[in-house]
Amino acid sequence: MAATILDGNAIARQLRNAIADKVRDRLAHGHNRPGLAVLLVGDDPGSKIYVRLKRKDCHEVGFNVEVWHLPSQTRQADLVAKIDELNADPVFNGILVQLPLPDHIDPVAVTERVLPNKDVDGVHPSNMGRLVLREPAIRPCTSKAVMSLLAHTGVVLRGLHATVVGASNHVGRPMGLELLLAGCTVTTVHRFSRDTRVHVAQADIVVSATGKAGLIASDWVKPGAIVIDVGIVAQADGKVRGDVCFEEVAPHAGWITPVPGGVGPMTRASLLENTLYAAEIADRQRTPRP
């Protein structure tokens, strides 16, 4: 039996509708409209597309959104100064610094400059640390998106064996933490791992985030497994592929995400959820204690 396709576009649309309802409710009760500030440095084509889509999403759900497109030669000190300005601006509940940054800018220093309660990408050490301690606050967007997709399957995750392929700070590492939090037995494989295929083939859940097109073939996947493809690689013909050989794996997996249209739109929806949550944090901070 062929896998059920997890349609990220459709699920994200449902999430945006729910967020838009919450924004209308906020406004009806006298709360501020959630605001997102986006900093784009340079002219990376992929980043420009992502920012355009994120701005469209914000408009759809009723957020305030403003994008600062800075030249590639922007000094790190000037970028940090802009972040400091936005940290102090109550109009913006979330600040997103679009990656990648030009080589002369340290992404770690920039990420850490954003206040944790405005870090809607969920990658500040404070937010990552909260996830490590099993007390998540603002969660990393992509791993949060994957957990939303897994929840949509209706499968009970507790006790399942999950293998995460890739150990990046933005995806692989927080992904493992999220799956542990859900009660899974988690294996992480990476470029130094031995017998990667064996680890993947044992898994009830496979999350691949390497950016290596076609890495996961049909003989890597356990029949009936849930397969989440985070990778996205542009091809010479302009098309994109994921880490998973979709046509090979889909006939015997239980659930599978397409590329495009799987994790990507859900990651953007997670950004909206995080921004709304950041606005709620700001509400609590403004409310005087009795």
Coordinates of all heavy atoms in Angstrom, one line a residue, residues 108-194:
V108 N 26.5 33.5 14.8 CA 26.3 33.2 16.2 C 26.1 34.4 17.0 O 25.2 34.6 17.9 CB 27.4 32.3 16.8 CG1 27.2 32.1 18.3 CG2 27.5 30.9 16.0
A109 N 27.0 35.4 16.8 CA 27.0 36.6 17.5 C 25.7 37.4 17.2 O 25.0 38.0 18.1 CB 28.2 37.5 17.2
V110 N 25.2 37.3 16.0 CA 24.0 38.0 15.6 C 22.8 37.3 16.2 O 21.9 38.0 16.8 CB 23.9 38.0 14.1 CG1 22.5 38.5 13.6 CG2 24.9 39.0 13.5
T111 N 22.8 36.0 16.2 CA 21.7 35.2 16.7 C 21.5 35.5 18.2 O 20.4 35.7 18.8 CB 21.9 33.7 16.5 OG1 21.8 33.5 15.1 CG2 20.8 32.9 17.2
E112 N 22.6 35.6 18.9 CA 22.6 35.8 20.4 C 22.2 37.2 20.8 O 21.9 37.4 21.9 CB 24.0 35.4 21.0 CG 24.3 33.9 20.9 CD 25.5 33.5 21.6 OE1 26.1 34.3 22.3 OE2 25.9 32.3 21.5
R113 N 22.3 38.1 19.8 CA 21.9 39.5 20.1 C 20.4 39.7 20.2 O 20.0 40.6 20.9 CB 22.5 40.4 19.0 CG 22.6 41.9 19.4 CD 23.6 42.1 20.5 NE 23.8 43.5 20.9 CZ 24.8 44.0 21.4 NH1 25.9 43.3 21.7 NH2 24.9 45.3 21.7
V114 N 19.7 38.9 19.5 CA 18.2 39.0 19.6 C 17.8 38.5 21.0 O 18.2 37.5 21.5 CB 17.6 38.1 18.5 CG1 16.0 38.1 18.6 CG2 18.0 38.5 17.1
L115 N 16.9 39.3 21.6 CA 16.3 38.9 22.9 C 15.7 37.5 22.8 O 14.9 37.3 21.8 CB 15.3 39.9 23.4 CG 15.9 41.3 23.8 CD1 14.8 42.2 24.2 CD2 16.8 41.1 25.0
P116 N 15.8 36.7 23.8 CA 15.2 35.3 23.7 C 13.7 35.4 23.5 O 13.2 34.5 22.8 CB 15.6 34.7 25.1 CG 16.8 35.4 25.5 CD 16.7 36.8 25.0
N117 N 13.0 36.4 24.1 CA 11.6 36.4 23.9 C 11.1 37.0 22.6 O 9.9 37.1 22.3 CB 10.9 37.1 25.1 CG 11.4 38.6 25.2 OD1 12.3 39.0 24.5 ND2 10.7 39.3 26.1
K118 N 12.1 37.4 21.8 CA 11.8 37.9 20.4 C 12.4 37.0 19.4 O 12.3 37.3 18.2 CB 12.3 39.3 20.2 CG 11.4 40.4 21.0 CD 11.7 41.8 20.5 CE 10.8 42.8 21.2 NZ 10.8 44.1 20.6
D119 N 13.1 35.9 19.8 CA 13.8 35.0 18.9 C 12.8 34.0 18.3 O 12.7 32.9 18.8 CB 14.9 34.3 19.7 CG 15.4 33.0 19.0 OD1 15.6 33.1 17.8 OD2 15.5 32.0 19.7
V120 N 12.0 34.5 17.3 CA 10.9 33.6 16.8 C 11.5 32.5 15.9 O 10.7 31.6 15.5 CB 9.9 34.5 16.1 CG1 9.1 35.3 17.1 CG2 10.5 35.4 15.0
D121 N 12.7 32.5 15.6 CA 13.4 31.4 14.9 C 13.7 30.2 15.9 O 13.9 29.1 15.5 CB 14.6 31.8 14.2 CG 14.9 31.1 12.9 OD1 13.9 30.4 12.4 OD2 16.0 31.2 12.4
G122 N 13.7 30.6 17.2 CA 13.9 29.6 18.3 C 15.3 29.0 18.4 O 15.5 28.0 19.0
V123 N 16.3 29.8 18.0 CA 17.6 29.3 18.0 C 18.6 30.0 18.9 O 19.8 29.7 19.0 CB 18.2 29.3 16.5 CG1 17.5 28.4 15.6 CG2 18.3 30.8 16.0
H124 N 18.1 30.9 19.7 CA 18.9 31.6 20.7 C 19.3 30.5 21.8 O 18.5 29.6 22.1 CB 18.1 32.7 21.4 CG 18.9 33.5 22.3 ND1 19.3 33.1 23.6 CD2 19.5 34.8 22.2 CE1 20.0 34.1 24.2 NE2 20.1 35.1 23.4
P125 N 20.5 30.6 22.3 CA 20.9 29.6 23.3 C 19.9 29.4 24.4 O 19.8 28.3 25.0 CB 22.3 30.1 23.8 CG 22.8 30.9 22.6 CD 21.6 31.5 22.0
S126 N 19.3 30.5 24.8 CA 18.3 30.4 25.9 C 17.1 29.5 25.5 O 16.7 28.6 26.3 CB 17.8 31.8 26.3 OG 16.7 31.7 27.2
N127 N 16.6 29.7 24.3 CA 15.5 28.8 23.8 C 15.9 27.4 23.5 O 15.2 26.5 23.8 CB 14.9 29.5 22.6 CG 14.1 30.7 22.9 OD1 13.4 30.8 23.9 ND2 14.2 31.8 22.1
M128 N 17.1 27.2 23.0 CA 17.6 25.9 22.8 C 17.8 25.2 24.1 O 17.5 24.0 24.3 CB 18.9 25.9 22.0 CG 18.7 26.4 20.5 SD 18.0 25.1 19.5 CE 19.5 24.2 19.1
G129 N 18.3 25.9 25.1 CA 18.6 25.4 26.4 C 17.3 25.0 27.1 O 17.3 23.9 27.8
R130 N 16.2 25.7 26.9 CA 15.0 25.4 27.5 C 14.5 24.0 26.9 O 13.9 23.2 27.6 CB 13.9 26.5 27.2 CG 14.2 27.8 28.0 CD 13.8 27.7 29.4 NE 12.4 27.4 29.7 CZ 11.5 28.3 29.8 NH1 11.8 29.6 29.8 NH2 10.2 27.9 30.1
L131 N 14.7 23.8 25.6 CA 14.3 22.6 25.0 C 15.1 21.4 25.6 O 14.6 20.3 25.8 CB 14.5 22.7 23.5 CG 14.0 21.5 22.6 CD1 12.5 21.3 22.8 CD2 14.3 21.8 21.1
V132 N 16.4 21.7 25.8 CA 17.3 20.6 26.4 C 16.8 20.2 27.8 O 16.8 19.0 28.1 CB 18.7 21.1 26.5 CG1 19.6 20.2 27.4 CG2 19.4 21.3 25.1
L133 N 16.3 21.2 28.5 CA 15.8 21.0 29.9 C 14.4 20.5 29.9 O 13.8 20.4 31.0 CB 15.9 22.3 30.7 CG 17.4 22.7 30.9 CD1 17.4 24.1 31.6 CD2 18.2 21.7 31.7
R134 N 13.8 20.2 28.8 CA 12.4 19.7 28.7 C 11.4 20.8 29.2 O 10.3 20.4 29.7 CB 12.2 18.4 29.4 CG 13.1 17.3 28.8 CD 12.9 16.0 29.5 NE 13.5 16.0 30.8 CZ 13.5 14.9 31.7 NH1 12.9 13.8 31.3 NH2 14.0 15.0 32.8
E135 N 11.7 22.0 29.0 CA 10.8 23.1 29.4 C 10.8 24.1 28.2 O 11.2 25.3 28.3 CB 11.3 23.8 30.6 CG 11.3 22.9 31.9 CD 11.8 23.7 33.1 OE1 12.2 24.9 33.0 OE2 11.8 23.1 34.2
P136 N 10.3 23.7 27.0 CA 10.4 24.5 25.8 C 9.6 25.8 26.0 O 8.6 25.9 26.6 CB 9.8 23.6 24.7 CG 9.0 22.6 25.4 CD 9.6 22.4 26.7
A137 N 10.2 26.9 25.4 CA 9.6 28.2 25.3 C 9.3 28.4 23.8 O 8.3 27.9 23.3 CB 10.4 29.2 25.9
I138 N 10.1 29.3 23.2 CA 10.0 29.4 21.7 C 10.8 28.4 21.1 O 12.0 28.3 21.3 CB 10.4 30.8 21.3 CG1 9.5 31.9 22.0 CG2 10.3 31.0 19.8 CD1 9.9 33.3 21.7
R139 N 10.2 27.5 20.3 CA 10.8 26.3 19.8 C 11.4 26.5 18.4 O 10.8 27.3 17.6 CB 9.9 25.1 19.8 CG 9.4 24.7 21.2 CD 8.1 24.0 21.2 NE 8.1 22.8 20.4 CZ 7.0 22.1 20.1 NH1 5.8 22.6 20.5 NH2 7.1 21.0 19.3
P140 N 12.5 25.9 18.0 CA 13.1 26.0 16.7 C 12.0 25.7 15.6 O 11.3 24.7 15.7 CB 14.2 25.1 16.7 CG 14.7 25.0 18.1 CD 13.4 25.1 18.9
C141 N 11.9 26.5 14.6 CA 10.8 26.4 13.7 C 10.7 25.1 12.9 O 9.6 24.5 12.8 CB 10.9 27.6 12.7 SG 10.4 29.2 13.4
T142 N 11.8 24.6 12.4 CA 11.8 23.5 11.5 C 11.4 22.2 12.3 O 10.6 21.4 11.9 CB 13.1 23.3 10.7 OG1 13.3 24.5 10.0 CG2 13.0 22.1 9.8
S143 N 12.1 22.0 13.4 CA 11.8 20.8 14.2 C 10.3 20.9 14.8 O 9.6 19.9 14.9 CB 12.8 20.6 15.4 OG 12.9 21.8 16.1
K144 N 9.9 22.1 15.1 CA 8.5 22.3 15.5 C 7.5 21.9 14.4 O 6.5 21.3 14.6 CB 8.3 23.8 16.0 CG 6.9 24.1 16.5 CD 6.9 25.5 17.0 CE 5.6 25.9 17.7 NZ 4.4 25.8 16.9
A145 N 7.9 22.3 13.2 CA 7.1 22.0 12.0 C 7.0 20.5 11.8 O 5.9 19.9 11.5 CB 7.7 22.6 10.8
V146 N 8.1 19.8 12.0 CA 8.1 18.3 11.9 C 7.2 17.7 12.9 O 6.4 16.8 12.6 CB 9.5 17.7 12.0 CG1 9.5 16.2 12.0 CG2 10.4 18.2 10.8
M147 N 7.2 18.2 14.2 CA 6.4 17.6 15.2 C 4.9 17.9 14.9 O 4.1 17.0 15.2 CB 6.8 18.2 16.6 CG 8.2 17.9 17.0 SD 8.6 16.1 17.0 CE 7.5 15.4 18.2
S148 N 4.6 19.0 14.3 CA 3.2 19.2 13.9 C 2.8 18.2 12.8 O 1.6 17.7 12.8 CB 3.1 20.7 13.3 OG 3.3 21.6 14.4
L149 N 3.7 18.0 11.8 CA 3.3 17.0 10.8 C 3.2 15.6 11.4 O 2.2 14.8 11.0 CB 4.5 16.9 9.8 CG 4.5 18.1 8.8 CD1 5.8 18.2 8.1 CD2 3.4 18.0 7.8
L150 N 4.0 15.2 12.4 CA 3.9 13.9 13.0 C 2.6 13.8 13.8 O 1.9 12.8 13.8 CB 5.1 13.7 14.0 CG 6.4 13.4 13.3 CD1 7.5 13.4 14.3 CD2 6.4 12.2 12.4
A151 N 2.2 14.9 14.4 CA 0.9 14.9 15.2 C -0.3 14.7 14.2 O -1.3 14.1 14.6 CB 0.8 16.3 15.9
H152 N -0.1 15.2 13.0 CA -1.2 15.1 12.0 C -1.4 13.7 11.6 O -2.5 13.3 11.1 CB -0.9 16.0 10.8 CG -2.1 16.2 9.9 ND1 -3.1 17.1 10.2 CD2 -2.4 15.7 8.7 CE1 -4.0 17.1 9.3 NE2 -3.6 16.2 8.4
T153 N -0.4 12.8 11.7 CA -0.6 11.4 11.4 C -1.6 10.7 12.3 O -2.2 9.7 12.0 CB 0.7 10.6 11.4 OG1 1.2 10.5 12.7 CG2 1.7 11.3 10.5
G154 N -1.7 11.2 13.6 CA -2.5 10.5 14.6 C -1.8 9.3 15.2 O -2.3 8.6 16.1
V155 N -0.5 9.1 14.8 CA 0.2 7.9 15.3 C 0.8 8.3 16.7 O 1.3 9.4 16.9 CB 1.4 7.6 14.4 CG1 2.3 6.5 15.0 CG2 0.9 7.1 13.1
V156 N 0.6 7.4 17.7 CA 1.2 7.6 19.0 C 2.7 7.4 18.9 O 3.2 6.4 18.6 CB 0.6 6.6 20.0 CG1 1.3 6.8 21.4 CG2 -0.9 6.7 20.1
L157 N 3.4 8.5 19.3 CA 4.9 8.5 19.1 C 5.7 7.8 20.2 O 6.8 7.3 20.0 CB 5.4 9.9 18.9 CG 4.7 10.8 17.8 CD1 5.4 12.1 17.7 CD2 4.8 10.0 16.4
R158 N 5.1 7.8 21.4 CA 5.8 7.3 22.6 C 6.3 5.9 22.3 O 5.5 5.0 22.0 CB 4.9 7.4 23.8 CG 5.6 7.0 25.1 CD 4.7 7.3 26.3 NE 4.5 8.7 26.4 CZ 3.7 9.2 27.4 NH1 3.0 8.4 28.2 NH2 3.6 10.6 27.4
G159 N 7.6 5.7 22.5 CA 8.1 4.3 22.4 C 8.6 4.0 21.0 O 9.3 3.0 20.8
L160 N 8.3 4.8 20.0 CA 8.8 4.5 18.6 C 10.2 4.8 18.5 O 10.8 5.7 19.2 CB 8.0 5.3 17.6 CG 6.5 5.0 17.5 CD1 5.9 5.8 16.3 CD2 6.2 3.5 17.3
H161 N 10.9 4.2 17.6 CA 12.3 4.4 17.3 C 12.4 5.4 16.1 O 11.9 5.2 15.0 CB 13.0 3.1 16.9 CG 14.5 3.3 16.6 ND1 15.2 2.3 15.9 CD2 15.3 4.3 16.8 CE1 16.4 2.8 15.8 NE2 16.5 4.0 16.3
A162 N 13.0 6.6 16.4 CA 13.2 7.6 15.4 C 14.7 7.8 15.1 O 15.5 7.8 16.0 CB 12.6 8.9 15.9
T163 N 15.0 7.9 13.8 CA 16.3 8.2 13.4 C 16.3 9.6 12.7 O 15.6 9.8 11.7 CB 16.9 7.1 12.4 OG1 17.0 5.9 13.1 CG2 18.2 7.5 11.9
V164 N 17.2 10.5 13.2 CA 17.4 11.8 12.6 C 18.7 11.7 11.8 O 19.7 11.4 12.3 CB 17.5 12.9 13.6 CG1 17.7 14.2 13.0 CG2 16.2 12.9 14.5
V165 N 18.6 12.1 10.5 CA 19.8 12.1 9.6 C 20.2 13.5 9.5 O 19.5 14.3 8.9 CB 19.4 11.5 8.2 CG1 20.7 11.3 7.4 CG2 18.7 10.1 8.4
G166 N 21.4 13.8 10.1 CA 21.9 15.2 10.1 C 21.9 15.7 11.5 O 21.0 15.4 12.3
A167 N 22.9 16.5 11.8 CA 23.1 17.0 13.2 C 23.3 18.5 13.3 O 24.0 19.0 14.2 CB 24.2 16.2 13.9
S168 N 22.7 19.2 12.4 CA 22.9 20.7 12.4 C 22.3 21.3 13.6 O 21.3 20.8 14.2 CB 22.4 21.3 11.1 OG 20.9 21.2 11.1
N169 N 22.8 22.5 13.9 CA 22.2 23.2 15.1 C 20.8 23.7 14.8 O 20.0 23.7 15.8 CB 23.1 24.5 15.4 CG 24.4 24.1 16.1 OD1 24.6 23.0 16.6 ND2 25.3 25.0 16.0
H170 N 20.4 24.0 13.6 CA 19.1 24.5 13.3 C 18.1 23.4 13.2 O 16.9 23.7 13.4 CB 19.1 25.3 12.0 CG 19.4 26.8 12.3 ND1 20.6 27.3 12.7 CD2 18.6 27.9 12.2 CE1 20.6 28.6 12.8 NE2 19.4 29.0 12.5
V171 N 18.5 22.2 12.7 CA 17.5 21.2 12.5 C 17.8 19.9 13.2 O 17.0 19.5 14.1 CB 17.3 20.9 11.0 CG1 16.2 19.8 10.7 CG2 17.1 22.1 10.2
G172 N 18.9 19.2 12.9 CA 19.1 17.9 13.5 C 19.1 17.8 15.0 O 18.5 16.9 15.6
R173 N 19.9 18.7 15.6 CA 20.0 18.6 17.1 C 18.7 18.9 17.8 O 18.2 18.2 18.6 CB 21.1 19.5 17.6 CG 22.5 19.0 17.1 CD 23.6 20.0 17.4 NE 24.8 19.6 16.7 CZ 25.8 18.8 17.3 NH1 25.6 18.4 18.6 NH2 26.8 18.4 16.6
P174 N 18.0 20.1 17.5 CA 16.7 20.3 18.1 C 15.7 19.2 17.7 O 14.8 18.9 18.5 CB 16.3 21.7 17.6 CG 17.1 22.0 16.4 CD 18.4 21.2 16.6
M175 N 15.8 18.6 16.5 CA 14.9 17.6 16.1 C 15.0 16.4 17.1 O 14.0 15.8 17.5 CB 15.2 17.2 14.7 CG 14.1 16.2 14.1 SD 12.6 17.1 13.7 CE 11.5 16.6 15.0
G176 N 16.2 16.0 17.4 CA 16.4 14.9 18.3 C 15.8 15.2 19.7 O 15.2 14.3 20.3
L177 N 15.9 16.4 20.1 CA 15.4 16.8 21.4 C 13.9 16.8 21.4 O 13.3 16.4 22.4 CB 15.9 18.2 21.8 CG 17.4 18.3 22.1 CD1 17.8 19.8 22.2 CD2 17.8 17.6 23.4
E178 N 13.3 17.3 20.3 CA 11.8 17.2 20.3 C 11.3 15.8 20.3 O 10.3 15.5 21.0 CB 11.4 17.9 19.0 CG 11.5 19.4 18.9 CD 10.4 20.2 19.6 OE1 9.6 19.5 20.3 OE2 10.3 21.4 19.5
L179 N 12.0 14.9 19.6 CA 11.5 13.5 19.5 C 11.7 12.8 20.9 O 10.9 12.0 21.3 CB 12.2 12.8 18.4 CG 11.8 13.2 17.0 CD1 12.9 12.7 16.0 CD2 10.5 12.6 16.7
L180 N 12.8 13.2 21.6 CA 13.0 12.7 22.9 C 11.8 13.2 23.9 O 11.3 12.4 24.7 CB 14.3 13.1 23.5 CG 15.6 12.4 23.1 CD1 16.8 13.1 23.6 CD2 15.5 10.9 23.6
L181 N 11.5 14.4 23.7 CA 10.4 15.0 24.5 C 9.1 14.3 24.3 O 8.3 14.2 25.2 CB 10.3 16.5 24.2 CG 9.5 17.4 25.2 CD1 10.1 17.3 26.5 CD2 9.5 18.8 24.6
A182 N 8.9 13.8 23.0 CA 7.7 13.1 22.7 C 7.7 11.6 23.1 O 6.8 10.9 22.9 CB 7.5 13.1 21.2
G183 N 8.9 11.2 23.7 CA 8.9 9.8 24.2 C 9.5 8.8 23.2 O 9.4 7.6 23.5
C184 N 10.1 9.3 22.2 CA 10.7 8.3 21.2 C 12.1 7.9 21.7 O 12.8 8.6 22.5 CB 10.9 9.0 19.9 SG 9.3 9.5 19.0
T185 N 12.6 6.8 21.2 CA 14.0 6.3 21.3 C 14.7 6.9 20.1 O 14.3 6.6 18.9 CB 14.1 4.8 21.3 OG1 13.4 4.3 22.4 CG2 15.5 4.4 21.3
V186 N 15.7 7.8 20.3 CA 16.2 8.6 19.2 C 17.6 8.2 18.8 O 18.5 8.1 19.7 CB 16.1 10.1 19.5 CG1 16.7 10.9 18.4 CG2 14.7 10.5 19.9
T187 N 17.9 8.0 17.6 CA 19.2 7.8 17.0 C 19.5 9.0 16.1 O 18.7 9.3 15.2 CB 19.4 6.5 16.2 OG1 19.1 5.4 17.1 CG2 20.8 6.4 15.6
T188 N 20.7 9.6 16.2 CA 21.1 10.7 15.3 C 22.3 10.1 14.5 O 23.3 9.7 15.1 CB 21.5 12.0 16.0 OG1 20.3 12.4 16.7 CG2 21.9 13.0 15.0
V189 N 22.2 10.2 13.2 CA 23.4 9.8 12.4 C 23.8 11.1 11.6 O 23.1 12.0 11.3 CB 23.0 8.7 11.4 CG1 22.7 7.4 12.1 CG2 21.8 9.1 10.5
H190 N 25.1 11.1 11.3 CA 25.7 12.3 10.7 C 26.9 11.8 9.8 O 27.1 10.6 9.6 CB 26.2 13.2 11.8 CG 26.9 12.6 12.9 ND1 28.2 12.1 12.8 CD2 26.4 12.2 14.1 CE1 28.6 11.5 14.0 NE2 27.5 11.6 14.8
R191 N 27.7 12.7 9.3 CA 28.7 12.4 8.3 C 29.8 11.5 8.9 O 30.5 10.8 8.1 CB 29.3 13.7 7.8 CG 30.0 14.6 8.8 CD 30.6 15.8 8.1 NE 31.2 16.7 9.1 CZ 32.0 17.7 8.8 NH1 32.4 17.8 7.5 NH2 32.5 18.5 9.7
F192 N 30.0 11.4 10.2 CA 31.0 10.5 10.7 C 30.4 9.2 11.2 O 31.1 8.3 11.7 CB 31.6 11.2 11.9 CG 32.3 12.5 11.6 CD1 31.9 13.7 12.2 CD2 33.4 12.5 10.7 CE1 32.5 14.9 11.9 CE2 34.0 13.7 10.4 CZ 33.6 14.9 11.0
S193 N 29.1 9.0 11.0 CA 28.4 7.7 11.5 C 28.8 6.6 10.6 O 29.0 6.7 9.4 CB 26.9 7.9 11.5 OG 26.5 8.9 12.4
R194 N 28.9 5.4 11.2 CA 29.1 4.2 10.5 C 27.7 3.5 10.3 O 26.9 3.6 11.2 CB 30.1 3.3 11.2 CG 31.5 3.9 11.4 CD 32.4 3.0 12.2 NE 33.7 3.6 12.4 CZ 34.7 3.1 13.1 NH1 34.5 1.9 13.7 NH2 35.8 3.7 13.2

